[in-house]
Amino acid sequence: MKTWKWFASASAVALTAAITVPAQADVSIDDIVNDAATAGDVVSSGIGPKGQRYSTLTKVNKDNVGSLVPAWAMSLGGEKMRGQETQPLVKDGVMYITGSYSRAWAIDVKTGREIWQYDHRLPEGILPCCDVVNRGGALFGDKFIFGTLDAKLVALSAKTGKVVWSKKIDDFKAGFSSTAAPLIVPSKAHGPILVTGVSGGEFGIVGRVEARKVDSGEIVWSRPTIEGHVGTLNGKPSTMTGKKNETWKGDLWKTGGGATWLGGTYDPDTKLIFIGTGNPAPWNSHMRPGDNRWSCARIAIDPETGNIKWGFQTTPHDGWDYDGVNEVVSFDLNGTKAAATADRNGFFYVLDRTNGKFIRGFPFVSKISWASGLDDNGRPKYVKENYPGNPTASKDGKKGKAVFAIPSFLGGKNWMPMAYNKDTKLFYVPSNEWGMDLWNEPVTYKKGAAYLGAGFTIKPIFDDHIGALKAVDPASGKIVWSVKSKTPLWGGVMTTAAGLVFYGTPEGDFKALDASSGKELWSFNTGSGIVGSPITWEQDGQQYITVVSGWGGAVPLWGGEVAKSVANLNQGGMVWTFKLPKTVAAN
Ligand code: CA
Ligand code: CA
C-alpha cells in the first residue's frame, strides 16, 4: 500500500482569477429534492437524490448527437495527474468540480474559465486505499462542501472558494479518509442535513454514517454500521446497531470494517437515506464466524434519528472483499416503490425500498464462482469448494488454500454509478468481468496498517473484454444488450429522455449510445481515460454535456495482471463540455 506524499506548495489557498464572476449559487433544499426534474441545473450527485442519472433533456437526440462538438475544455493542471472520478454540479452559470489530491474548482460555464481553485493542504502519511481521487461535492445555500483525503469535510464559499468551515471526520493516521460526494437531505427535526460516510475499510476502521448541520458542520447524529457499536443523536448516545455478538462472535466487531466509503442516495417518497457498507475486517473470514452484520449490506436510515429502518446484506460473512457500497437507485417497478443495486459480488438486486424486502436478484456478469445463485430471500448459495481456505488448517499455518474467485474483489461493478431510464425501463450498468487468485493469511490489527489477512492477483477471464456496459431489465432479470470494452470500465453512466446513454472508457473515448439497442451514435476521444461521471444541463436554450477526463483509480494500483493492460494509458485532468453546433442545434 502506497503512502501518498503531497507534493505541491503546502498552503491551502483559494486563488481568485481576475474575471467577472457570474451570479453566485443559492441552492435550496427544494432545488436538491427536485433536481431530476429541473434541467437548468445539476445540484446533486446522481442528477437527483434518487440517483437515477436521468435527464429530461431531449435537444441532443439520436438524430443529432453525432454532431456534438467541444464547447470548451479546462485543464486541472498540477504537477501530477491522478484519477478524476468527480461528477460536476452546475448552478446559475457556474460549474463546481472536485479533483485528485482534494482540490476543487468553480468554472464559468460560458467560457470554461476558472473562477476559483481550492487546493486542500494534505499532510504527510495520508492512507487512501485506492488512488487520491474525489467523487464530487455538494452544493447548499452559498456553500460547496466536499470530503478530503485527510478525513476532513470542507465547506467553501461557492462565490470565492474561501473556507467557511472545516471539520475533522476522524484520524487519517488510523486509515480514515473521505472521497465520496456528500448528500444533502431534508429533515423535519434538524433542517437540511449533510450526510456522509467514511473510507478506510482496509485498515480495520469501523464504518459509520454521520449527519451534520450544513451551516456549521456540527454533528446531529451518527450511525455505526457494525453490530454492537452505539450511535449518537444530538450529542448523546442513541441506539445500538443490531445486537452485540449476535452475528459477530468474539471481539473482532470492534475493528469490524463496514466502511461507508461511497456515500448514499435519498428517496423523498419514503424519506429514507440508502447507504451501502463495505467489507467486514479483516478480509480473512475464518477469523470472524457469523454473518458480520451490517458489513457488505445496504441499510436504510431515518434522517430524523439516524436509526436503521431496514438492512439487506448482499454478502453475509464476506470472504472476497465484496464491499456492499454500490449505489441504491430508487425507481418505480410497475407501481412498487423499488430500489436496485448492482453489487461487487456480481448479482443485481431489486428490493422493496419501503422495507428492504427482496423482490428478485440475478447475475449481471458471467461465470460467478463463489455462489451458485440466490435463495428466495436473496441470500447467496455459497459454493463450498470455491471458498478460500483457512490458513490455520494449512501445514505451516501461514497460507490457506487458494481459490480462483469470480468476480475479482474489484467487483462485477465497483463505485462507478449506473443510470436508470424510466422510458426504456432499463438500468445501464458499467460492469467488469474478471477473476482473482485469492488466499487467506493470518493477520492482527495494527492502527494505520493494512488489515487484510489475504493475498490476491486479479486476472482476466475473457480474451476479448473485461468491461461491458450492460442494459439490465430489473423486471425480468434479462441483459437486453451489452457493449464490450477491452479494458475495465471505471466511470459513471448517464441516460436521457432522448433515449441516449453516455459513458466513458479508459482509452478516453466519451460515447453516446442508443439506449434501446446499445448502438454507438457518437464518440470523442478526450485524451486521457475517463473515470468520472457525465452530466447534462440546459442554459440559454442550449443543451450542454460535461465529463471530466483523467485516468486513474483503483485498477492501475490493484489490478494485478489486468493493470498491465492499462499501463500505457496516459494520465490527465481535463473538464470537457460539449454542445451542438449552431446550425445543428437550430434544426
Ligand atoms: Ca436540476
Ligand atoms: Ca473493501
XYZ file of all heavy atoms in Angstrom, residues 189-190 213 219-222 232-238 304-305:
124
model
N -36.750 17.579 11.945
C -36.210 17.918 13.262
C -34.968 18.807 13.192
O -34.741 19.621 14.081
C -35.886 16.641 14.027
N -34.184 18.633 12.137
C -32.862 19.277 12.135
C -32.671 20.280 11.007
O -31.624 20.916 10.921
C -31.758 18.211 12.022
C -31.974 17.012 12.882
N -31.870 17.062 14.259
C -32.312 15.728 12.580
C -32.139 15.854 14.755
N -32.405 15.034 13.758
N -25.141 19.561 10.608
C -25.792 20.811 10.211
C -25.001 21.393 9.051
O -23.762 21.487 9.125
C -25.803 21.780 11.387
C -26.671 21.258 12.518
C -27.185 22.380 13.409
C -28.394 21.926 14.171
N -28.202 21.892 15.625
N -22.152 17.872 14.239
C -22.798 16.565 14.077
C -24.170 16.548 14.741
O -24.329 16.980 15.882
C -21.905 15.444 14.657
C -20.657 15.285 13.777
C -22.667 14.116 14.736
C -19.718 14.192 14.202
N -25.171 16.057 13.999
C -26.531 15.894 14.504
C -26.721 14.467 15.005
O -27.205 14.229 16.100
C -27.558 16.227 13.399
C -28.966 15.892 13.848
C -27.441 17.685 12.975
N -26.371 13.503 14.170
C -26.388 12.099 14.611
C -25.285 11.318 13.912
O -24.751 11.767 12.889
C -27.757 11.436 14.404
C -28.395 11.494 13.032
C -29.476 12.258 12.668
C -28.048 10.738 11.840
N -29.803 12.037 11.348
C -28.955 11.107 10.821
C -27.068 9.784 11.550
C -28.895 10.571 9.529
C -27.004 9.242 10.264
C -27.916 9.642 9.277
N -24.958 10.171 14.498
C -24.034 9.258 13.846
C -24.571 7.841 13.994
O -25.255 7.525 14.981
C -22.630 9.374 14.443
O -22.609 8.814 15.727
N -25.111 8.097 18.005
C -25.388 9.290 18.796
C -26.498 10.095 18.135
O -26.716 9.999 16.925
C -24.154 10.206 18.923
O -23.838 10.730 17.616
C -22.955 9.478 19.491
N -27.202 10.869 18.961
C -28.222 11.800 18.467
C -28.172 13.037 19.362
O -28.266 12.912 20.589
C -29.611 11.147 18.519
C -30.798 12.020 18.150
C -30.717 12.511 16.705
C -32.117 11.258 18.370
N -28.018 14.189 18.754
C -27.937 15.462 19.491
C -26.915 15.413 20.631
O -27.176 15.862 21.757
C -29.320 15.848 20.036
C -30.299 16.085 18.913
O -29.937 16.612 17.853
N -31.544 15.680 19.107
N -25.766 14.807 20.366
C -24.681 14.808 21.340
C -24.760 13.734 22.408
O -23.893 13.646 23.273
N -25.814 12.903 22.362
C -25.952 11.845 23.382
C -25.979 10.482 22.713
O -26.381 10.368 21.555
C -27.264 12.044 24.150
C -27.252 13.257 25.029
C -28.593 13.391 25.752
C -28.674 14.772 26.378
N -29.982 15.394 26.182
N -25.598 9.415 23.457
C -25.709 8.066 22.887
C -27.159 7.784 22.508
O -28.074 8.172 23.250
C -25.264 7.150 24.040
C -24.508 8.028 24.976
C -25.074 9.410 24.827
N -27.369 7.160 21.360
C -28.746 6.832 20.954
C -28.955 5.325 21.022
O -29.012 4.770 22.119
C -29.050 7.394 19.566
O -28.177 6.869 18.595
N -34.254 11.602 10.608
C -34.603 12.324 11.839
C -33.819 11.813 13.048
O -33.463 12.577 13.936
C -36.108 12.185 12.132
C -37.023 12.526 10.965
C -36.924 13.985 10.534
O -36.461 14.820 11.336
O -37.300 14.292 9.384
N -33.556 10.508 13.093
C -32.960 9.898 14.284
C -31.603 9.239 14.032
O -30.865 8.962 14.983
C -33.884 8.784 14.819
O -34.033 7.800 13.778
C -35.245 9.323 15.214
